[in-house]
Structure formats: C-alpha cells, structure tokens
Amino acid sequence: MGKTYEGGAPLAEVVRSGFVEGFHRGSVVVLDAAGAPVAGAGDVTSPIFPRSSNKPMQAIGMLRAGLPLTDPADLALVSASHAGEEFHIERVTALLRGGGLTGDALHCPPDLPVGEAAREAVLRAGGGPARVLMNCSGKHAGMLRTCLAAGWPLDGYWRPEHPLQQRLTATIEEFTGERAAAVGVDGCGAPVLAVSLTGLARAFLRLVDAEPGTVERTVADAMRTYPELVGGTQAEDTRLMRGVPGLLAKVGAEGVIAAAVPGVGAVALKIDDGAARARMPVLVSALSRLGVDAPILTEYAETPVLGGGLPVGATRPIW
C-alpha cells in the first residue's frame, strides 16, 4: 500500500427545498461473494482509519489470545460501540466483575452515553461522565479480561507495544490481507490501525463466510444474534442486522461503515468529512448493487433535511 489516502468522489448531495446546497465526498468499494470488486468510487486501495469497524477483528484476536467468554451476548458487547443504555452498562459491569475488576480499570476516558435517550437518562438521574458509559467500554473490558487470562500485565494494555495489542494487530492484518500502514490513537485511547476500504470489506466477507465453529464465525454470529448489544436500540448497524437476514455490519467514526452478507458480498465506505448523514444512503446504494433489498434499507435510502422542524429535503446518494 504505502501511499496516502487521496480522498474520494462525490457520493451524496444535500437538497433543501429543491435546491442542492452541498455535497459529501467519499470512497466506497463493493465486493462480490468471491471477493472481487464489482463497483466502487474514490480511493479504495489507500489506507484509512476504519475506527470502530475494526472491532470484530479485535474481538477475534482476543478470543484467540484466551478471552474466556462463551456467552455470545458478551462477545457482541466486546465488538460494540454501544449507546450506553442500561442493558449495555449492566453487562459491561458484569464483564469487569467476572475478572474481579471495576470501571476504574478501564483506560477509555470518562464519557456520557452516545445514545441520546441514554445520555438524557444519566443526566436526569444526576449522573455524569464515567468510563463504563463510554461507547467502547465493552471492548476495553474484553481487553482486560484477555490480559488476565493470558497472564499479561493490565498496566498499559492499550499501548501498541503491549502483547495484547501486538496480537490484535496481527489479527487485523491477517483478515484484511494488508500490513497496517499506520497506528493511531482511537477516541477510546486504544490503537487504531490504518488499512484500505478494500481490505476492510474483505475482512467482513471472511467473517460471514467462515465455517461454523471457527472463532471468526463465532464473533460474526454473536453480533448478528445480539445486534442491540453491538450498537443500541436505534443504532444504524443494529437495525441493519435486525432488518437484513444474515447481514453483518459495524459502523466506525468519521463516516465509516462495513457490511457483508454471506454468499452475496461486502461493502466498505468512508465519507470524507465524517458526516453520518451521508453514510447510510451511500451504503444502501452500494448494497443495491449486490441485489440486497429489505424494508429497512428503504428507510435509510435518504436522510431527511429539516427546516423549521419539518422535512424540507434530503441527503441522498448520487453515486
């Protein structure tokens, strides 16, 4: 790879009152069931940070390193960017307690829930930011439990040179088929690895096509069985997995999402300016090229643009 992401092509337009007031650029790749590219736009071979879309591969790496979790619901939470709803926090707390730990052991920063309803509930109850409320706390709890099982130090478990992170890096590189072009610090403080959108789509396809009983299929099945734990009651990837049979999906910050359907293909995309409002319409357009259709996709085909609190336009795909 060895080159810098060049930016993408126009993928979506923003229409207000019949007037096009803006565009979102980005890159998107569509792979068929054999992993061959069948459509795309922008720069899909240079590295980007997939952010939380890397989490399923990180969960696989944790299991390989000895993460002692057998409940698929726990594995879904380890792969999650959760909304901070009560059922998320209860399960993260239980994961920590199972290792004799508390929220103080987490390295992710104190935060309020990313889910609007959950955030308001915390504030109404007089609460404030806490590490366990941060959307990556499930992943960090899984990292801690992995270190305990492997006999690795908890101190510095988030550092790239820690044995845990070395294992997770190797796993991401294996499944994407690429060497990480860069290692950054994600919003939660853990490492984030740069790979291409093509590599990311390839990894998701491998997860859904894996044989039953393999570690990668175990993670994919856990996420698809408990999608509310992966995101939240209203999260985009949660609703996609509920609404499209067999689909595996995971959003990432800065306008990233990856999705795959067994026997059909995979999609990975990034909206260059990080705008979430363009992400789902472009994904729906990409999935349509694989013949994927479901009522939930119709809901996400456009994102409403509001004026005076009422819909007056939409963000819609032009790719």
Side-chain angles (χ1 to χ4, degrees), residues 39 256 279:
V256 176
R279 177 168 56 195

Side-chain angles (χ1 to χ4, degrees), residues 165-177:
Q165 300 303 336
Q166 291 292 305
R167 292 287 190 96
L168 303 191
T169 295
T171 303
I172 291 173
E173 291 181 337
E174 173 191 342
F175 279 85
T176 60

Side-chain angles (χ1 to χ4, degrees), residues 235-285:
E236 293 170 346
D237 42 14
T238 293
R239 300 191 70 224
L240 281 173
M241 288 189 280
R242 278 286 180 227
V244 182
L247 182 140
L248 175 72
K250 184 69 191 73
V251 300
E254 294 299 322
V256 176
I257 190 168
V261 181
V264 176
V267 173
L269 68 90
K270 174 178 172 58
I271 306 301
D272 287 349
D273 62 6
R277 68 179 178 179
R279 177 168 56 195
M280 293 301 288
V282 175
L283 177 68
V284 171
S285 177

Side-chain angles (χ1 to χ4, degrees), residues 11-307:
L11 296 181
E13 63 181 7
V14 184
V15 181
R16 179 182 298 276
S17 304
F19 181 83
V20 178
E21 68 170 345
F23 296 90
H24 293 289
R25 301 176 66 90
S27 299
V28 54
V29 64
V30 183
L31 305 182
D32 65 17
V38 295
D43 183 359
V44 301
T45 60
S46 298
I48 56 103
F49 280 140
R51 304 295 296 272
S52 287
S53 293
N54 277 341
K55 283 178 177 174
M57 286 84 79
Q58 291 174 310
I60 292 167
M62 290 183 226
L63 282 174
R64 287 178 169 179
L67 176 64
L69 300 180
T70 57
D71 188 337
D74 288 334
L75 296 178
L77 191 62
V78 170
S79 309
S81 300
H82 65 72
E85 296 172 80
E86 186 175 353
F87 59 91
H88 294 125
I89 306 311
E90 289 176 351
R91 189 166 285 272
V92 172
T93 302
L95 277 178
L96 292 167
R97 188 167 55 243
L101 303 170
T102 68
D104 292 337
L106 298 169
H107 179 67
C108 54
D111 202 356
L112 289 168
V114 295
E116 183 178 352
R119 182 169 60 250
E120 290 177 355
V122 169
L123 294 174
R124 280 198 307 270
R131 296 183 190 276
V132 73
L133 298 178
M134 201 268 172
N135 73 93
C136 297
S137 63
K139 178 182 77 173
H140 279 256
M143 289 178 173
L144 287 165
R145 292 291 302 273
T146 302
C147 289
L148 288 173
W152 293 328
L154 301 186
D155 184 44
Y157 75 86
W158 60 90
R159 301 189 187 282
E161 64 272 15
H162 191 282
L164 168 69
Q165 300 303 336
Q166 291 292 305
R167 292 287 190 96
L168 303 191
T169 295
T171 303
I172 291 173
E173 291 181 337
E174 173 191 342
F175 279 85
T176 60
E178 300 175 357
R179 292 294 301 271
V183 180
V185 181
D186 213 334
C188 66
V192 58
L193 307 183
V195 295
S196 73
L197 287 169
T198 299
L200 181 62
R202 186 187 301 125
F204 271 66
L205 194 58
R206 286 189 60 181
L207 264 67
V208 298
D209 284 343
E211 291 295 322
T214 58
V215 174
E216 52 267 39
R217 179 65 178 272
T218 297
V219 170
D221 286 349
M223 293 174 66
R224 292 181 290 188
T225 302
Y226 295 97
E228 283 81 8
L229 288 169
V230 175
T233 306
Q234 298 300 320
E236 293 170 346
D237 42 14
T238 293
R239 300 191 70 224
L240 281 173
M241 288 189 280
R242 278 286 180 227
V244 182
L247 182 140
L248 175 72
K250 184 69 191 73
V251 300
E254 294 299 322
V256 176
I257 190 168
V261 181
V264 176
V267 173
L269 68 90
K270 174 178 172 58
I271 306 301
D272 287 349
D273 62 6
R277 68 179 178 179
R279 177 168 56 195
M280 293 301 288
V282 175
L283 177 68
V284 171
S285 177
L287 289 172
S288 72
R289 294 160 196 258
L290 293 171
V292 180
D293 188 25
I296 188 66
L297 298 181
T298 302
E299 291 185 36
Y300 282 123
E302 296 183 346
T303 303
V305 169
L306 303 182

